[in-house]
Amino acid sequence: MLSELRIQGLGVIDDAVLDLHAGLNVVTGETGAGKTMVVTGLGLLLGARADAGLVRSGAGSAVVEGLVDVASDHPAAQRAAEAGADVSDGLVLVRSVSAEGRSRAHVGGRSAPVGVLGEIGEHLVAVHGQADQWRLRQSDQHRAVLDQFGGAPLQKALSAYTDVYDAHQAAAAELADLREQARDRAREIEVLQHGLEQLEQVDPQSGEDADLRVEDERLGHAEGLRGAAALAHDHLAGSAEYTAEPAPSVVELLASARQALAGEVDHDPALRELDRRMADLGYLAADLAADLSSYLSDIEVDPARMAWVQQRRADLTALTRKYGETIDDVLAWGQASAQRLDALLNSDSRIEALEPEVARLDAERTSTAQALGKARRTAAKRLASAVTGELAHLAMGQATVDVAVTPRPSGLARHGSDDVEILLAANPGSPARTVAKAASGGELSRVMLALEVVTGAAGGSDVPTFVFDEVDAGVGGAAALDVGARLAALAQHAQVVVVTHLPQVAAYADRHLVVRKASDGHITSSGVHALEGEDRLRELARMMAGVDTGTALDHARELVAETAARRATAVRT
């Protein structure tokens, strides 16, 4: 629910905090005090279009902040989390409008597009007022209201239909794709077969191109490699080829150097350490000479091998030029192409299997659509009867509501084969027309209230907060008490906020808030105050008589007692 709403610099409101209750919250106040600014501020918080003219004169900006208590798995919290909001301790929404008209939004402490506020608001609050674009102005929402009201039987029929519809769509799309691509399929089969035949002939191995590149490099420089390695070996270990004056080797020189130190190493630890390091060098030189000798034995000048390596590399290059940068890429292409070729070669059999499957799903789709339509028509009768009954309590006793479920001219859609329209005949003999066109502003608000009461009682609404502005327009006397009673009934299932000028409605409040205007002779501002006890009675007396005299206060007490009795009777029944 919406637990707190703070408004700053909006219209006549300088700074006001609305501490809201879980049940029925009533906002009252004298004409011009700024009651409508509460609804306007809430609209801004829910993504309504900003207007610089709303900013209070002299203020730099208008700011509306709302604190929402909502479970982490609620759609509103999930959408906020997607926008990066922190929803661990509730959800904080902020909307600001500068005097220059710039608008900013914050969701859960993070800056967000204003559109995100609107998306979150759709799951949190339904605002009903004469100036609002209510969801029933959109024809597809008539169907959504009926489907929610229909409960488990209708939802089961809808789920069965949508499952079959989606399966049919997928199968039909695959079949159409296979048929349309028949010519391209033959061409692709030919290309894939040719490529796979090339791979089979060459039979490349993973990493073979890199290995052959190294071998080709070595074979191409075999003479130079042998000469360099032999010369390095001779310098390290000496060579038998030297006959006249053999050049001393590194190994021999190191041995001679150690021999020179042999008689003195025992007399100085530092010299002994140098001797040890010289010994290590001798061992390393001998090992390196042995490795060079082994390397020489492996280096061979083999023209035949070199020719084979170069031809093999050419064959592999022909593959990488067409199918991948490396042989591993070529092998991956081959694996994927083999799977694709198998699918293409079996496409005819897939078409043969899909054709009867699509026909079966089409027939099942038709039958489930008929079952869904039947469930909707059954629910439509109950909804129409219930809403008509509610209107009798809302000073619209002559009005009748009909929920028309008619075949959809364009055939089946994902929601079924039905068009749904909620119709209203405001007076006997009047033709039933779509509710958005048949009802006046005040009547539309009451029709909306009736629908919300009916769907809320049936568990058919997932919006936790409802806001009504001027729902009591044109209503008075006993009918006003009925309006208050229906709002109180809705408040048993959801949080309700009502802006009203009727004491008969305000008397039902669980939380009574009053907007009061004050002036210092220069600047006029309004604030919001919670009323309890005698203060509340005085406000009800003012609403009834314009003054809070003793007689008016007695009438206020009687009104509160009567509404309490009506509530008790409604709970018992």
Side-chain angles (χ1 to χ4, degrees):
M1 71 170 190
L2 185 63
S3 61
E4 184 177 286
L5 183 68
R6 182 170 187 176
I7 302 173
Q8 296 175 295
L10 184 67
V12 295
I13 297 179
D14 180 25
D15 191 347
V17 177
L18 285 76
D19 186 13
L20 300 173
H21 192 277
L24 177 59
N25 300 266
V26 170
V27 181
T28 65
E30 294 182 355
T31 300
K35 298 189 300 296
T36 57
M37 285 297 102
V38 174
V39 179
T40 300
L42 188 56
L44 287 174
L45 194 64
L46 302 176
R49 185 175 180 179
D51 182 354
L54 296 173
V55 179
R56 178 175 170 78
S57 178
S61 64
V63 180
V64 184
E65 180 177 346
L67 177 60
V68 184
D69 293 331
V70 64
S72 58
D73 59 348
H74 190 275
Q78 292 175 346
R79 180 63 186 92
E82 291 173 1
D86 180 4
V87 296
S88 56
D89 295 322
L91 178 59
V92 179
L93 306 177
V94 181
R95 176 78 178 279
S96 63
V97 182
S98 72
E100 293 75 29
R102 293 189 301 273
S103 177
R104 292 183 178 178
H106 289 80
V107 177
R110 298 288 297 273
S111 178
V114 173
V116 174
L117 286 179
E119 294 173 13
I120 293 173
E122 289 178 359
H123 301 293
L124 288 177
V125 181
V127 179
H128 299 322
Q130 294 190 28
D132 292 304
Q133 291 296 320
W134 183 51
R135 55 186 175 135
L136 281 189
R137 295 188 188 277
Q138 304 174 17
S139 59
D140 61 332
Q141 292 300 311
H142 293 222
R143 183 185 63 255
V145 169
L146 176 61
D147 288 350
Q148 289 177 345
F149 174 80
L154 202 158
Q155 289 298 320
K156 183 178 179 181
L158 178 60
S159 178
Y161 169 78
T162 53
D163 287 347
V164 174
Y165 182 87
D166 290 344
H168 175 270
Q169 288 292 98
E174 183 182 358
L175 179 59
D177 184 63
L178 289 173
R179 286 172 172 168
E180 184 177 345
Q181 297 182 5
R183 204 173 299 168
D184 293 337
R185 190 164 61 249
R187 188 180 301 111
E188 186 179 358
I189 287 173
E190 183 179 351
V191 171
L192 291 175
Q193 286 177 331
H194 177 70
L196 291 173
E197 287 172 0
Q198 282 187 292
L199 260 68
E200 185 178 0
Q201 290 173 359
V202 177
D203 190 24
Q205 303 301 310
S206 177
E208 184 182 6
D209 50 343
D211 294 339
L212 288 175
R213 187 182 307 111
V214 172
E215 185 176 0
D216 190 16
E217 183 75 10
R218 189 169 66 173
L219 288 170
H221 297 82
E223 289 292 351
L225 293 173
R226 280 183 60 84
L231 184 58
H233 177 269
D234 291 346
H235 285 310
L236 284 173
S239 172
E241 296 178 4
Y242 290 100
T243 54
E245 294 182 4
S249 67
V250 171
V251 174
E252 291 170 342
L253 289 173
L254 288 171
S256 297
R258 287 198 69 203
Q259 184 63 36
L261 300 177
E264 303 299 330
V265 295
D266 293 333
H267 303 301
D268 186 356
L271 188 60
R272 192 161 49 249
E273 173 61 20
L274 292 172
D275 179 67
R276 185 194 63 76
R277 290 169 61 190
M278 201 173 297
D280 290 342
L281 284 174
Y283 300 145
L284 288 173
D287 288 344
L288 185 54
D291 290 342
L292 283 168
S293 178
S294 177
Y295 177 79
L296 282 168
S297 64
D298 290 338
I299 294 293
E300 295 182 4
V301 179
D302 188 348
R305 176 64 182 177
M306 184 173 178
W308 182 89
V309 168
Q310 292 179 342
Q311 180 58 50
R312 181 67 176 172
R313 290 192 67 196
D315 293 341
L316 296 180
T317 300
L319 295 179
T320 55
R321 191 178 294 118
K322 292 181 179 180
Y323 308 117
E325 293 185 3
T326 67
I327 287 302
D328 286 346
D329 294 336
V330 171
L331 291 171
W333 176 88
Q335 184 177 11
S337 296
Q339 295 174 351
R340 173 64 177 165
L341 180 61
D342 183 65
L344 292 172
L345 291 173
N346 290 296
S347 58
D348 289 340
S349 59
R350 178 61 179 159
I351 289 175
E352 293 176 1
L354 277 174
E355 287 174 339
E357 176 69 5
V358 169
R360 182 189 67 80
L361 288 171
D362 186 50
E364 189 175 349
R365 187 178 59 158
T366 300
S367 63
T368 53
Q370 292 172 348
L372 175 59
K374 182 178 180 180
R376 279 178 173 150
R377 286 188 291 273
T378 299
K381 292 178 181 178
R382 292 192 294 110
L383 179 60
S385 176
V387 174
T388 299
E390 282 294 324
L391 291 178
H393 299 291
L394 297 173
M396 293 180 67
Q398 300 298 313
T400 57
V401 169
D402 183 29
V403 181
V405 181
T406 56
R408 189 169 180 269
S410 54
L412 296 175
R414 194 173 187 276
H415 57 73
S417 59
D418 311 305
D419 280 337
V420 178
E421 192 170 25
I422 299 176
L423 306 173
L424 173 69
N427 299 290
S430 299
R433 296 188 299 161
T434 182
V435 64
K437 295 181 179 179
S440 65
E443 289 173 336
L444 181 59
S445 292
R446 276 174 273 160
V447 172
M448 291 187 292
L449 172 57
L451 278 166
E452 300 296 10
V453 170
V454 169
T455 56
S461 178
D462 56 1
V463 177
T465 300
F466 296 93
V467 178
F468 291 92
D469 184 19
E470 297 188 54
V471 69
D472 48 22
V475 178
L481 281 171
D482 286 336
V483 171
R486 307 329 292 165
L487 289 166
L490 178 59
Q492 294 179 9
H493 310 284
Q495 182 187 45
V496 179
V497 180
V498 180
V499 177
T500 183
H501 65 278
L502 291 181
Q504 296 94 326
V505 173
Y508 281 94
D510 297 304
R511 166 87 51 172
H512 190 153
L513 302 170
V514 63
V515 181
R516 286 180 177 152
K517 182 169 57 176
S519 175
D520 60 2
H522 300 284
I523 299 176
T524 300
S525 63
S526 295
V528 180
H529 310 275
L531 300 179
E532 294 182 358
E534 288 296 315
D535 289 337
R536 185 181 177 219
L537 290 175
R538 289 191 182 92
E539 173 63 10
L540 291 174
R542 181 201 65 77
M543 296 174 72
M544 287 189 292
V547 293
D548 56 357
T549 62
T551 301
L553 287 171
D554 289 340
H555 288 165
R557 290 188 184 92
E558 291 177 6
L559 179 59
V560 171
E562 182 175 355
T563 56
R566 282 179 171 240
R567 271 192 164 185
T569 301
V571 170
R572 286 195 299 270
T573 56

